Amino acid sequence: MLLALYLSTTIAAADTTGADEVHRTVPPSRDAPAVVVHRQPSVPLVALRLSILASDPPGFEGAGHLVQHLAYPALRDRVDRVGGEARFERSADAIVYSVTGPSEELEFLARALLATLLPPRPAAGQLLRASQELAEERLAEWETAGLHLRAALRAKVFPHVASAAGTSESARRLSDPDELRTAWSRIYHPERVSIVAAGATTLRGVEAAFSDLPPASGSEAPLTDTERSVVEALAPAEATRGWLGLAYPAHDLSPADLAIVARLTERALRAELPESLVDVEHWWTHDGQALVVVVAAPRDRIPEARTALGSALRKAAGSVDSRSVAAAANAARRDMLFYSRTPDRMAEVIGRFVDRSGDGDGADRFYAGIAAAGVPRVEQAFESLLEHPPLLAEVPPQRLPGR
Amino acid sequence: MIAALASRIAGSVLATAALALSVSTAPAQQRIVVHTEQGTPVVASHLLIATGPAEEDPPSAGIAHLSARAALRPIGPALDSLEAHVSVTSEKDAVGISLVAAPDVWAEVSRRVIGALFRDAADSTAIEMEKREIEAELIGRQNNPSDAAIRAADEAFFGTSHPWGRPTVGDRVTVRDITVSQVRDFLREHFTPARAFAAVVGPIEDAAARDHLLSHLQASGPVPAGLVRRRRSATSTSRTEFNSVTTWVTVAYPFSAAADMESLRLLSWLATHELGFGPTRRSVYDMKATVTPRTSGGELRVTVVVPPAEADAWADRIVDVVDGLASSPRVAEEWDELRRRYRGRRLLELASPEARAVAAAQTLYTAGDTASPIPRFEELSIERLRAAAGRLGEPVIMFLGPFQDELD
């Protein structure tokens, strides 16, 4: 899904300093990226996050992530020359590269990031190694019970979304370098790029550093197969505990309210199942939202866990009061501040909001939404979730010989 | 090379003067530093309390660490409810408490922590529970070769009868035998506001943070100045048997309180690159170089983990690298590139506000300096690097692991 990524038109003075300043810009032309800058002038570091909206062509799922695996070693080595760090991630929304280094090296770091946008020209060995790394990621979704359960739930909540690592069928097509380059030409367009910077830098500086994005290749070469690859059925994972999962699609709910519902439900369910692993997650991508409950219970606790899971949302809804909502909201707000305390994390948090909604103010709005949450809104969110039966997934425990 | 070094040191009979605690008094205003940072989303504070092994009886080794943890345990749920992150670290010359909290609750969190450390009566249940937890941690670390190498290096570097030669957090037996009343007495005597040094980093006004801390830390009293000076080690080389397949080789250099800390950090970073795993150093399983400032000087410690048969050669190599790096033609030729890369690595170490708070508190405590924790990289020079390397004391070399003659 292609999202428009034109951000708010507010342009702040680039050289002002102040707490929590976020500056953003509209791309001045079709070939310039959207830029968001959070100034943290006290430490001469800058974190740059470059994201390209995820849009693997049908039949070539995993292409963007494969290109990341190919581009990363050079990015890492290049950034290391200035003592910086590089990372990459294929989120549900975007292909993301991040670098952190001295703010004086802004232009150097930006050039290193821009090089990742060039069409891939891998040597045979590089392509083979990157393909193998992707295959390992696909296998992890089969072999690890927690990932397996989430993959199964993801396939139900967002049926058209394949694994970021693609499928074995798409991997076969992508083993042809020409096909990979053609797929990349469909993925990369300058208007799909957004840049988030956090640290001792300015909007003007970041805009200048990223003013020269590589052009789209404009290749119209046909891909061999434009049919979406069939998402493979997951092989049964082996687990020592029973894994149970529920997903409540919640596309129309306020993300802030849903985040509080997740915290309240997790707290209640953990108290009820002290011997089980309990995670209540707020899934939020450009495809929509869901509340996901995952429980891993010891074999003899599975019936109890199943019962608790089925009634978790209703019970949590029944104990909502102003105190619990305020506590959950404060915890969510402070967690967000704590998580974003380094420039790279700050860029990540802001960037995720930009990727999923195209809103440069998304992080601020979410933060404000949490601070403003109250009992009526949270109760309404619970009611809305309970209107429809949840989607289910399960990984039973394997039979183990007695110890 | 090591033999020559040993004879050089053996010539000097080592001082064994009685440990004397000198004391000084520092006004509370001089024990607080605030670095206001716009754009940082949380407030990080680091509190150093001037106490440690030098004030512990050998049978109660670890009581300073235990006391800090036990004092804070009862307020754990309250701190959790405020989403505050609090941790305790114990150094040879101080106990450190790190606090990270949202700006709206920082004052409350710090008030609770200071109250628990300096005013509240220690809870007996909390003391017993912390004892059990520390004992369990120590059991887990007992057979860890990395921990064993640190213990052996401390013992060799400071000497067996020196309080800093003991494990900073004690051992299973000493921790087990510490009583509730001993912890309460230790807290009352040694955990006092007059011994606290605090650094605050984050989006907070200098005056507001300072006033808040002063209201809680305003107290006069003796502050141990340079809790203990290191005596020169009785041996230049020590060997400790350990059941492992690799050997830990540690070379430790003392430096004075006036040492050029940033140049020494650069030296240790350069040593990491010369000694760590690489195409020509395939037998190095692990490598670490650290610079530890203390109130009475500090220590540059370099450790490599290598096959037993290569241990002696690697000890020589560490000494050669540390002695020769600063005057190496290659370092001179690549100076600009090396400094550029070091700047990035060092800034990444200081990327989190809590790391900057720790650095600021350590500088305040060890050097009385309130400067920004961000180094002035432009002032680093190869001349400074050479001078800092040249002023390092004589090294002490420690081996831990199986030894080749036994394997043969």
Side-chain angles (χ1 to χ4, degrees), chain B residues 277-297:
Chain B
F277 175 83
T280 60
R281 298 179 297 274
R282 292 182 178 279
S283 59
V284 179
Y285 299 108
D286 199 4
M287 193 272 157
K288 193 176 182 186
T290 55
V291 174
T292 309
R294 298 193 180 102
T295 45
S296 53

Side-chain angles (χ1 to χ4, degrees), chain B residues 23-28 31 189 192-197 217-225:
Chain B
V23 295
S24 68
T25 52
R31 290 184 280 109
E189 189 176 349
T192 63
R195 288 168 171 245
F197 292 73
L217 299 180
Q218 187 75 271
S220 59
V223 180

